[in-house]
Amino acid sequence: MFRIGDFSRIARVSCRLLRYYDEISLLSPHYVDGDSGYRYYSAAQLPRLNRILVLRELGLSLGQIARVMEDNLSPSELRAMLLLRRSDVERAVEAESDRLRLIEVSIAQIDNNGELSTDDVIMRSEPAHLFLSLRRTVDSFAHARVLIRELHEAVHGRVHSSALGSLVAVAHATEFEADLFDVEIGFTLTETVPVAPTGLILRELEPMHTAAVCVRVGPPEHAHLVTGRIGAFVEASGYELAGSNREFFLQRPRLDHTEDWVVEMQFPIRKRRVIPAQGQAGTLTAPVQFE
Amino acid sequence: MFRIGDFSRIARVSCRLLRYYDEISLLSPHYVDGDSGYRYYSAAQLPRLNRILVLRELGLSLGQIARVMEDNLSPSELRAMLLLRRSDVERAVEAESDRLRLIEVSIAQIDNNGELSTDDVIMRSEPAHLFLSLRRTVDSFAHARVLIRELHEAVHGRVHSSALGSLVAVAHATEFEADLFDVEIGFTLTETVPVAPTGLILRELEPMHTAAVCVRVGPPEHAHLVTGRIGAFVEASGYELAGSNREFFLQRPRLDHTEDWVVEMQFPIRKRRVIPAQGQAGTLTAPVQFE
DNA sequence: CTTGACTCTCCCGTAACGGTAAACTTTAGG
DNA sequence: CCTAAAGTTTACCGTTACGGGAGAGTCAAG
């Protein structure tokens, strides 16, 4: 019979931990003195404690460990738990590895540029939306204002304003240097509407499983700065573009004050299967070009 | 100006998170109504929020993120933080990979044996101890009782009992099948003592950086069972033996009741440089032999 | 003016313990 | 036998980064 301090020294765990495991009934002392409340442990409890510690090291939660310990769980059930745990750990390893690459990209950014400029590019998923739009091919992206006005006129009076969501511009062109832009501009909808013969398209705006997004505050003339930044980020972090990008207007734009526009640029991306340069942070010196 | 709900939808984060970041002064609203307490956010705050989210994704704590954000931290300081973070993540990846291998070993154990029998072998480090001992070569490990008696007589009266720690037996032989055992038996000491010319050795019992330990309750005749289990565990988890093993007596042994002995067996181990079979859990079918 | 949607603050809960305080018990030494 | 030191008890708070919910107040549209 050991008092808690001796037992903790023998088992190399803290007294606090033993009391905690007693509290949650994971490992109760062999005997508790009724008067003093002193806990007394026997050496025969060491195997149980060690088993707990081993399972803990495998990453099982104390709740799971309790299930393993209390009834003598069948080996196959334990096996199932371990399989579950294994897939969790596999995912965790992959997630941490991804994180590691992102960190290295950021360090390389600082080394090359003197500062961290990709800091506002973020990756997330984007759900599908119901979308009511106009599609045109124009010769200048600044022409967008005209399109927006046209869209407003087409929509005005036909759709209740409470059904309208955000203004979205989809860039269907994949060549960024081309002289012609295939642009689709419309509103997301919160409910379906009848589409009269107005030239308006009613469709689903595709969801993006993974999107690199960046918020731009300023006129469309500055878009290429953000575009380049996103491109560099996507390139460096082992992804590639996976479709046409689009711009979400987070504020209803005032057509005559383009410098106040608040636009979220969204680029669908996917993991590259081949990762070209797997080197250290400092070795990523070649200038990274977009597309 | 957006109310918190709109802003949360735009930024794709929860209201709760925005309130929390306000509370810890990480991202305060552009304006707070004095009467109602309503928070109003401006679109111009999105870049800051996104930067926060990016840093969070890199795994920085909110405290670190706050330091990055509040003063405009110099890029080199940020770089240092990222380097620190990188080494943390590298360690995390390695730790999770180790864990993954342990899990796979456990699954393979169940598949081969029908149950998890290595469950009470645990890995930890063992500190150095001051050690006062006798060393003999005997022809049978069961001869240990005689040695213990001899040790008691040598120590009795010369060392104050408060200075005595645990009884330890060191097996210096590396060949487990040999007929002769080179055994050293002694006590750990809590303070240094004068060693009279008694044949006793005063030395440091080497620490073990990594040890596989297992508690055995029972007579020394059962030691080989535990030995085999530890060996199989060590072999399967990518380690190898790295020196002579020893037995810590967790209870002062009663010489005439060997069946009550509570002994912790400690084997120093190190990572194998070459990992032979890197296969899946189910493929580990060859019987694993000790040494 | 009402009603429904929105927002506020405040408190509790998470997992797995560590730290500390105030009171009590045991043990060793004289 | 007495005292002092060491050990132990319960109880409460803190950690991280939020999520959930209660009860009360606020805003906007019809």
Side-chain angles (χ1 to χ4, degrees), chain A residues 96, chain B residues 64 83-93:
Chain A
E96 290 289 296
Chain B
Q64 292 174 310
L83 286 176
L84 199 64
R85 179 71 198 141
R86 181 176 68 174
S87 73
D88 282 354
V89 174
E90 278 169 354
R91 266 198 297 278
V93 169

Side-chain angles (χ1 to χ4, degrees), chain A residues 50-263:
Chain A
N50 281 341
R51 175 160 212 176
I52 291 172
L53 296 181
V54 166
L55 293 174
R56 185 181 69 164
E57 212 152 297
L58 295 186
L60 297 185
S61 72
L62 296 189
Q64 292 174 309
I65 294 176
R67 279 212 302 284
V68 176
M69 307 292 293
E70 66 186 24
D71 346 300
N72 42 2
L73 198 77
S74 80
S76 66
E77 288 174 285
L78 177 55
R79 201 185 106 99
M81 286 178 62
L82 290 178
L83 286 176
L84 199 63
R85 178 72 198 141
R86 182 176 66 174
S87 73
D88 282 353
V89 174
E90 279 168 353
R91 266 198 297 277
V93 168
E94 198 181 352
E96 290 289 296
S97 302
D98 287 354
R99 216 209 282 271
L100 191 57
R101 205 170 48 223
L102 284 181
I103 292 171
E104 286 179 347
V105 167
S106 300
I107 293 174
Q109 271 278 335
I110 292 179
D111 289 344
N112 290 338
N113 302 355
E115 62 175 349
L116 188 58
S117 61
T118 68
D119 47 11
D120 38 7
V121 177
I122 102 173
M123 282 163 36
R124 59 170 163 77
S125 64
E126 175 70 24
H129 298 276
L130 202 56
F131 192 42
L132 183 67
S133 64
L134 279 175
R135 186 164 175 176
R136 295 278 185 278
T137 299
V138 298
D139 58 356
S140 143
F141 207 62
H143 196 65
R145 285 204 303 283
V146 180
L147 255 181
I148 292 177
R149 206 181 310 266
E150 191 177 342
L151 174 71
H152 267 108
E153 283 161 10
V155 165
H156 182 70
R158 300 177 195 269
V159 181
H160 197 290
S161 69
S162 70
L164 289 179
S166 302
L167 185 66
V168 177
V170 181
H172 282 288
T174 51
E175 277 294 320
F176 285 88
E177 315 302 331
D179 285 355
L180 292 180
F181 298 96
D182 181 2
V183 178
E184 183 181 5
I185 284 195
F187 286 102
T188 62
L189 299 177
T190 56
E191 57 191 71
T192 186
V193 297
V195 49
T198 52
L200 289 169
I201 308 164
L202 180 63
R203 67 177 187 102
E204 181 194 63
L205 192 58
E206 313 83 23
M208 293 180 180
H209 178 266
T210 310
V213 309
C214 181
V215 174
R216 154 170 64 85
V217 180
E221 290 77 26
H222 292 169
H224 67 282
L225 298 173
V226 178
T227 303
R229 206 145 75 204
I230 291 184
F233 171 81
V234 167
E235 179 83 11
S237 29
Y239 284 79
E240 62 185 2
L241 295 177
S244 53
N245 65 301
R246 56 204 189 201
E247 308 191 345
F248 260 71
F249 287 74
L250 299 182
Q251 271 179 329
R252 209 55 64 89
R254 293 185 297 168
L255 295 183
D256 46 351
H257 290 85
T258 56
E259 72 278 8
D260 290 342
W261 285 11
V262 180
V263 180

